[in-house]
Amino acid sequence: MKFYLVAVCFLVSLVAVSQEKSPHSQSMGSISIYDDYHANCSLTSLLEQTEVCLGYHNSFFLSDLGETTLHAAFPTSKFTHSYTASAFGYAHYNDIFVSAGLSRLLTPRMAAGLSATYILHHHAGTSDAMHGFRISPGVYCYFAEDNLLAAYAKIGSEPISLDKTKLGYSAFLAYSLVINTFSEWAVELGTEHNTFVGKTGFCYNVERISFRCGMSLMPIRPSAGIGFEIDCFSIFYAADYCNTLGTSMSLGFKWKIQNKRRDAK
């Protein structure tokens, strides 16, 4: 049965890349500066082309813990626009997230962005859905050539019951260093739900193939993944392991659409 679930997850994921759990980010310890534009919207300013992603992420090989995501981002002369819609759960327990974001280059090496997310939660036993809302400001800055420093926060209300919400927040600071033409290292520190979170990851590129590994703390979760680029298409696979909960995995597809290129730095 376990192997059957793995096969199903693999087949479904062939048309997927989740921006809530991006395979690129997940394989490097879930560091937010890698394709997780929902976390730090300012990073969409790095895009030189329109990107369209369709995604799926599965946790612990449980079909009830699946997330499907559609994401699109496109740069214009002044702003980069991004839109994301995702659904998590199953028929009797699910969350729907819809977000929109704008980012803008402040200088050739610095950008700021802001996204807003609407949350719709439903579970069996309630006649009405529960609602939430959050905003996510973010910034990034390049310094000393290939050194990237980025920061972001999430602030908003999370639904607890029909008439009650909980104010939640998280804040992170990330650093990325391009070591040479082939390799890159990154680290991220922050707080989420009053808990310290640390993440680190390493990537090695060989032409159009990328090998990645990472680690996140609280709890300790090692991760690894691989990526392929074929013309304007990219395919990513990632998995991480928690000794108390099990394995999570995602495999994804990204399509870059040619449009007017511009300098991102």
Side-chain angles (χ1 to χ4, degrees):
M1 183 64 179
K2 183 176 181 180
F3 292 102
Y4 172 76
L5 290 175
V6 173
V8 171
C9 292
F10 181 83
L11 291 174
V12 172
S13 298
L14 285 176
V15 290
V17 65
S18 171
Q19 290 308 121
E20 290 293 327
K21 289 288 185 178
S22 146
H24 189 171
S25 173
Q26 182 186 358
S27 64
M28 296 188 68
S30 296
I31 295 179
S32 64
I33 56 178
Y34 297 105
D35 297 343
D36 276 340
Y37 302 136
H38 74 286
N40 190 342
C41 184
S42 69
L43 295 166
T44 59
S45 294
L46 293 169
L47 298 179
E48 299 179 1
Q49 298 170 287
T50 296
E51 288 190 357
V52 177
C53 311
L54 178 63
Y56 178 81
H57 172 82
N58 180 267
S59 298
F60 319 126
F61 298 123
L62 297 176
S63 59
D64 295 341
L65 298 182
E67 180 180 18
T68 303
T69 301
L70 177 65
H71 172 82
F74 57 93
T76 62
S77 58
K78 293 185 178 180
F79 295 96
T80 299
H81 304 254
S82 59
Y83 303 94
T84 305
S86 65
F88 170 82
Y90 58 106
H92 300 294
Y93 183 96
N94 56 73
D95 289 305
I96 296 175
F97 301 85
V98 179
S99 65
L102 281 177
S103 65
R104 180 182 174 85
L105 286 170
L106 304 178
T107 72
R109 304 176 69 86
M110 178 184 295
L114 180 69
S115 65
T117 303
Y118 170 71
I119 306 168
L120 180 65
H121 174 77
H122 170 266
H123 67 263
T126 60
S127 57
D128 298 320
M130 294 176 279
H131 309 272
F133 182 81
R134 69 171 177 239
I135 59 172
S136 302
V139 296
Y140 81 79
C141 176
Y142 272 98
F143 63 96
E145 297 302 328
D146 292 318
N147 293 263
L148 171 66
L149 188 65
Y152 78 94
K154 290 183 182 180
I155 307 167
S157 59
E158 301 175 2
I160 299 177
S161 63
L162 292 176
D163 57 354
K164 186 177 180 181
T165 60
K166 177 183 178 181
L167 180 64
Y169 73 92
S170 62
F172 287 90
L173 180 67
Y175 170 75
S176 174
L177 170 65
V178 176
I179 300 172
N180 53 46
T181 307
F182 306 103
S183 56
E184 183 176 1
W185 170 78
V187 63
E188 183 173 89
L189 303 174
T191 179
E192 189 167 19
H193 303 300
N194 297 319
T195 301
F196 168 79
V197 179
K199 310 171 184 179
T200 187
F202 179 81
C203 177
Y204 186 79
N205 302 301
V206 182
E207 295 183 350
R208 293 182 175 271
I209 303 177
S210 300
F211 300 94
R212 307 181 179 110
C213 62
M215 176 82 71
S216 59
L217 305 177
M218 307 299 287
I220 296 176
R221 299 180 68 153
S223 58
I226 189 170
F228 303 91
E229 291 186 14
I230 306 172
D231 294 328
C232 59
F233 301 100
S234 299
I235 299 175
F236 303 100
Y237 173 81
D240 65 46
Y241 175 75
C242 177
N243 62 352
T244 56
L245 297 174
T247 302
S248 298
M249 59 175 285
S250 56
L251 187 153
F253 171 84
K254 179 192 297 182
W255 178 30
K256 293 183 179 181
I257 303 173
Q258 183 70 40
N259 55 8
K260 183 179 179 180
R261 299 180 62 87
R262 58 177 187 165
D263 293 329
K265 298 182 183 180

